[in-house]
Amino acid sequence: MHRVVVLALDGVYPFELGIPQRVFGSAGDRYEVVTCAVGDGPGERSVRTSADFVLTATHGVEALATADTVVIPPYEAAMSAEPLSAPAARALALIPAGARTVSICTAAFALAEAGLLDGRPATTHWGLAARFRATYPQVALDASVLFIDDGDILTSAGAASGVDACLHLVRKDHGSTVASGVARLCVVPPWREGGQAQYVEMPVPEPSAACTAATREWALGRLAEPLVLADLAAHARMSLRTFARRFQDEVGMSPGRWLIQQRVNRARGLLENSDLSVEQIAGRVGFATATSLRHHLHAAIGVSPQTYRRTFRAAAHA
């Protein structure tokens, strides 16, 4: 069983602290998730949170030496300007060389302070980007994305992007079917690209009895059909203009772009879990030709269908 060890540092945010257990723990018996804190005895495993309570971890930092994956949740933003404490630095040194290490939000500061991100791409919360760049110029920071997977180190932005990062690892380990099942249990979107923007400034839509959610659900069941904007608007019983505006307000992208994204995601699942040819997959997800599928998949993740299939299956069976 793959062991995930969560390291809670002083000032930890409780919401993010619970993400690894909630996500990996929803994948059946595929993962064992334990939480540890700096300290040698039970009385010294108490962790001050960013809220008005203190938590006590069951395990000490020695658990890190047994980890296949280490997840470090974020801690209070003000503390990211402070040097890493000596006990925390010693704890990070216990992470095995072959383990994956995941940071959420401000935890990227801890990894950078320990020198683990030198010369590597990384991300953190967009609001802390200036401080991070000034403090760690040796790190190739990209604060415009949700998460960055650099092999043995994965860094993610704030709050909900920690869910995205953990789901990404479940998908990488066990495929889209398992990851989608975990997402349904957690009632979260099954997939958001790591390169998706952290923060898109747009107005909150006005409350309305008419929304596009039912039409999106309807469209997901008909991706193989040649759906166009007029079909979606007709199902929603709205004019083209009204539907396009409300869709953009609710989803943050145009209907056409959303359809392409859903078709690419469906194609990825079929590449991962079936032996269908690229031509057959293109037809099943609504792309007119295999060439169209290749174009859109490459635009989304930078590889061809065959390369994606080989790479994914090699990673899943590693």
Side-chain angles (χ1 to χ4, degrees), residues 98-280:
R100 294 186 302 210
T101 303
V102 182
S103 70
I104 303 175
C105 194
T106 56
F109 282 80
L111 296 186
E113 185 71 19
L116 298 177
L117 298 180
D118 288 358
R120 305 184 70 154
T123 192
T124 189
H125 193 285
W126 62 269
L128 299 172
R131 178 191 296 173
F132 191 99
R133 288 193 180 98
T135 309
Y136 308 108
Q138 71 275 22
V139 180
L141 184 73
D142 182 355
S144 66
V145 297
L146 293 177
F147 62 83
I148 292 177
D149 184 347
D150 194 38
D152 60 331
I153 292 185
L154 192 151
T155 52
S156 62
S161 64
V163 176
D164 297 316
C166 290
L167 273 175
H168 165 74
L169 291 181
V170 173
R171 180 183 178 118
K172 190 174 181 179
D173 291 344
H174 300 291
S176 60
T177 300
V178 173
S180 294
V182 169
R184 292 187 70 181
L185 285 173
C186 297
V187 197
V188 296
W191 184 254
R192 291 201 297 170
E193 292 288 349
Q196 184 171 325
Q198 280 190 33
Y199 177 69
V200 179
E201 187 167 1
M202 62 182 182
V204 176
E206 292 296 325
S208 172
C211 72
T212 64
T215 296
R216 295 198 301 273
E217 188 69 25
W218 174 83
L220 286 174
R222 294 165 176 78
L223 288 181
E225 300 176 16
L227 298 174
V228 295
L229 177 59
D231 299 320
L232 303 180
H235 179 271
R237 299 187 178 184
M238 299 179 192
S239 70
L240 292 177
R241 194 171 189 176
T242 298
F243 179 81
R245 184 182 70 251
R246 288 184 177 168
F247 195 101
Q248 180 75 37
D249 287 345
E250 293 173 18
V251 183
M253 66 182 72
S254 70
R257 181 182 170 195
W258 179 84
L259 275 173
I260 290 173
Q261 184 182 84
Q262 302 313 309
R263 284 171 169 148
V264 167
N265 289 345
R266 185 73 56 84
R268 290 173 69 166
L270 290 172
L271 287 168
E272 294 167 12
N273 299 304
S274 80
D275 293 318
L276 295 172
S277 69
V278 175
E279 290 76 11
Q280 290 172 317

Side-chain angles (χ1 to χ4, degrees), residues 171 264 267-272 276-279 281-282 287 290-313:
R171 180 183 178 118
V264 167
R268 290 173 69 166
L270 290 172
L271 287 168
E272 294 167 12
L276 295 172
S277 69
V278 175
E279 290 76 11
I281 291 174
F287 287 121
T291 299
S292 181
L293 169 56
R294 292 187 183 97
H295 168 76
H296 288 296
L297 186 71
H298 192 277
I301 59 175
V303 298
S304 69
Q306 295 294 357
T307 299
Y308 179 79
R309 174 173 267 167
R310 287 195 301 270
T311 302
F312 178 86
R313 291 187 174 182

